[in-house]
């Protein structure tokens, strides 16, 4: 167990009818607000009007940037950062899913520098000394961007999708009202749930064992998603299901479960290349990659962790044949993604072609090695992609 610092400073308003606090929270940072949102779902569900009402009531000055894309583009970030400078914005308010919140994070950082915001993500890796304060209103349970230091931006001109962690990117305040996710489609609910599961597994399957308590916490979160994702898909306005998914999405990635743990993510870099090359939905790519990655990494030396997963998460009967138990756990996870959630189960179905595997694999490991649960070099990643074909 390594030493760690626990410091997760995002203030969360969870539950129904908390929006009345929005004006006061924004006012703490100033009076000029940049509202960012996606392709219009917040207008259809009435949230846009509700937000505007609160902003008006608080006497704040509003500027808007709409049209943030899923797999948000650097072009939107550039536009947003420019707007912040032009209008002397005090606070960025992101209303939407992970894409909108991620874009807001680099808009807020880009507003504080003279260089291109892509420099934060490209090879130059410019330092992030500060960012404008970010407030988020989450509408899709998936990425955990509402309570984490990360943001991922796509640059289709260079065929890159790159993420970065920085404490300056943490939202200061996030509003988590499960009713704002009632309108999320069954497909996006499935993809979001696969994303949450992946965030947990990236940490659960780490090279070293740590706190038993954290493993139990992760197993509890996995069981929560497995229980409630199908409910939310069938009954979109089931508050209990949506609330459980929402709070799990935040806690899966807010830094709590990684405390003290040496870990490096594997499926995410492997998936980000799929999105960068094919603009696919992040959670779908993860659902296809994750069971194959687990299968590829399984060996005698790490089988106990797989057995723990199979037994504690899926209730597989323990037996002397540890490999069989381990494989059963992987099979049940795959069944959950592809049968229960109904996601496509291979690359062929979603049009990903093997001719791109070498380039995607090279980028995924940045020409070196992903040092996760099992170290993965380009050749390993190509094999995992190959396992995803059918
Ligand atoms: O654009 P609008 O109209 O809002 O529609 C969105 C979008 O089409 C829609 N949607 C969102 N809330 C809705 C809704 N539709 C109906 N009702 C609602 N309440 O859903 C679609 C997908 O939205 P998006 O924000 O793209 O989804 P998600 O939250 O899954 O975000 C995905 C992005 O986050 C990145 C991913 O790589 C991807 O770019 N990630 C960010 C992370 C982070 N910040 O820590 C970690 C993740 O691993 C991930 O990489
Ligand atoms: Zn993810």
């Amino acid at each position: 167990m390594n030493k760690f610092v626990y410091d997760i400073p995002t203030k969360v308003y969870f539950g129904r009818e908390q929006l009345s606090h929005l004006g006061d929270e924004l006012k703490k940072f100033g009076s000029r607000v940049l509202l960012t949102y996606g392709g219009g779902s917040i207008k259809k569900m009435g949230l846009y009007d509700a937000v505007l009402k609160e902003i008006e009531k608080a006497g704040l000055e509003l500027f808007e940037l709409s049209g943030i894309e899923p797999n948000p583009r650097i072009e939107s970030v550039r536009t947003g950062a420019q707007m912040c400078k032009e209008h002397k914005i005090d606070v960025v308010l992101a209303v939407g899913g992970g894409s909108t919140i991620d874009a807001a994070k680099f808009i807020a950082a880009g507003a504080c520098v003279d260089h291109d915001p892509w420099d934060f993500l490209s090879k130059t890796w410019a330092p992030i000394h500060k960012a404008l304060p970010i407030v988020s209103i989450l509408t899709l349970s998936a990425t955990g961007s509402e309570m984490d230091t990360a943001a991922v931006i796509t640059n289709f001109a260079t065929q890159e999708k790159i993420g970065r962690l920085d404490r300056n990117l943490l939202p200061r305040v996030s509003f988590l009202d499960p009713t704002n996710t009632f309108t999320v489609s069954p497909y996006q609910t499935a993809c979001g749930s696969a994303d949450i599961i992946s965030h947990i597994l990236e940490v659960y399957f780490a090279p070293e064992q740590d706190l038993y308590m954290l493993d139990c916490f992760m197993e509890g979160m996995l069981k929560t998603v497995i229980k409630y994702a199908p409910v939310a898909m069938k009954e979109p306005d089931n508050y209990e299901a949506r609330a459980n998914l929402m709070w799990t999405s935040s806690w899966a990635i807010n830094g709590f479960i990684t405390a003290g743990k040496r870990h490096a993510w594997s499926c995410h870099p492997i998936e980000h290349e799929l999105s960068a090359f094919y603009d696919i939905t992040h959670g779908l790519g993860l659902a296809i990659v994750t069971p194959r990655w687990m299968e590829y990494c399984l060996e005698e030396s790490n089988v106990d962790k797989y057995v723990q997963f199979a037994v504690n998460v899926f209730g597989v009967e323990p037996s002397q044949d540890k490999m069989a138990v381990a494989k059963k756990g992987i099979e049940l996870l795959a069944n959950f993604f592809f049968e229960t959630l109904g996601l496509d189960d291979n690359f062929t179905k979603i049009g990903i072609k093997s001719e791109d595997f070498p380039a995607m694999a090279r980028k995924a490991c940045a020409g070196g090695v992903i040092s996760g649960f099992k170290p993965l070099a380009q050749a390993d990643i190509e094999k995992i992609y190959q396992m995803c074909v059918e």
Side-chain angles (χ1 to χ4, degrees), residues 37-42 44-45 68-72 95-100 102 105 138-146 148-154 161 165 180-185 188 191-192 195 199 253 265 268 271-272 275 281-283 286:
Y37 54 98
S41 67
I42 67 160
K44 281 191 213 133
M45 66 198 265
I68 307 288
E69 315 80 2
N71 294 328
V95 185
S99 295
T100 296
D102 280 10
K105 289 177 174 180
L138 181 68
T139 65
L140 198 168
S141 305
T143 66
S145 190
E146 66 276 8
D148 80 4
T149 59
V152 189
I153 303 296
T154 297
K161 180 174 184 180
L165 313 177
N180 286 335
T181 63
F182 283 0
T183 51
V184 176
S185 67
Q188 285 293 346
C191 291
D195 191 20
H199 295 160
I253 197 174
W265 288 20
H268 272 67
E271 190 292 315
H272 281 166
S275 298
T281 303
H282 173 61
L286 287 172

Side-chain angles (χ1 to χ4, degrees), residues 201-252:
L201 293 182
E202 297 271 29
V203 182
Y204 188 80
F205 288 100
E208 62 192 27
Q209 291 307 301
D210 284 292
L211 281 178
Y212 171 78
M213 168 267 192
L214 286 179
D215 270 13
C216 294
F217 187 79
M218 286 187 264
E219 288 159 7
M221 289 199 293
L222 290 166
K223 283 158 80 168
T224 301
V225 180
I226 290 163
K227 175 177 166 131
Y228 284 111
V231 179
M233 287 171 71
K234 278 194 210 90
E235 304 165 32
D237 54 359
N238 183 313
Y239 185 88
E240 183 184 325
R242 293 296 192 182
N244 273 282
L245 291 176
M246 191 170 241
W247 204 211
T248 307
S249 108
S250 303
W251 279 85

Side-chain angles (χ1 to χ4, degrees), residues 16-141:
R16 300 176 198 265
E17 290 156 24
Q18 295 268 35
L19 212 55
S20 54
H21 298 283
L22 180 64
D24 284 343
E25 289 296 346
L26 290 170
K27 265 199 262 186
K28 288 180 189 167
F29 305 114
S31 61
R32 298 163 79 84
V33 181
L34 177 67
L35 166 65
T36 63
Y37 54 98
S41 67
I42 67 160
K43 289 194 170 165
K44 281 191 213 133
M45 66 198 265
L47 181 58
Y48 174 82
D49 289 339
V51 168
L52 254 53
K53 207 167 119 197
E54 294 302 325
I55 288 177
E56 204 175 305
K57 216 164 69 190
L60 300 166
E61 202 172 343
L62 180 69
F63 301 84
E64 282 187 40
L65 175 65
S66 62
I68 307 288
E69 315 80 2
N71 294 328
R73 316 279 154 90
I74 189 60
E75 289 80 5
S76 297
V77 171
R78 288 179 181 131
T79 307
Q82 193 50 40
M83 285 178 76
C84 288
K85 290 177 194 168
E86 241 172 72
H87 302 296
K88 299 190 173 20
I89 295 297
D90 297 309
V91 51
V92 182
L93 171 61
V95 185
S99 295
T100 296
I101 302 173
D102 280 10
K105 289 177 174 180
F106 276 107
I107 288 171
C112 302
V113 293
D114 291 328
H115 61 72
D116 181 2
W118 185 248
D119 293 346
F120 290 130
L121 294 149
S122 69
K123 288 192 186 70
T124 58
W125 213 245
I128 303 176
H129 292 301
K130 59 177 178 170
L132 294 178
I134 300 150
V135 173
S136 86
I137 301 176
L138 181 68
T139 65
L140 198 168
S141 305

Side-chain angles (χ1 to χ4, degrees), residues 123 160 269 273 358-370 376-378 381:
K123 288 192 186 70
E160 286 174 299
E273 296 312 322
M360 293 195 301
R362 191 173 58 252
K363 283 186 162 181
C365 62
V369 173
I370 297 175
L376 301 173
Q378 181 179 336
I381 300 166

Side-chain angles (χ1 to χ4, degrees), residues 242-312:
R242 293 296 192 182
N244 273 282
L245 291 176
M246 191 170 241
W247 204 211
T248 307
S249 108
S250 303
W251 279 85
I253 197 174
N254 69 6
F256 179 72
I257 60 172
T258 52
K261 216 176 174 89
R262 186 171 62 85
H263 75 289
W265 288 20
S266 305
C267 293
H268 272 67
I270 292 172
E271 190 292 315
H272 281 166
E273 296 312 322
L274 306 178
S275 298
F277 277 64
Y278 290 92
D279 199 17
I280 63 159
T281 303
H282 173 61
L284 172 63
L286 287 172
I288 297 174
V289 167
T290 302
R292 274 80 173 202
W293 165 74
M294 287 174 70
E295 199 183 323
Y296 188 78
C297 296
L298 175 62
E299 49 196 42
E300 291 294 340
S301 64
N302 60 29
V303 69
D304 286 342
K305 190 75 196 189
Y306 286 79
V307 171
Q308 183 190 331
F309 169 77
V311 172
N312 292 353

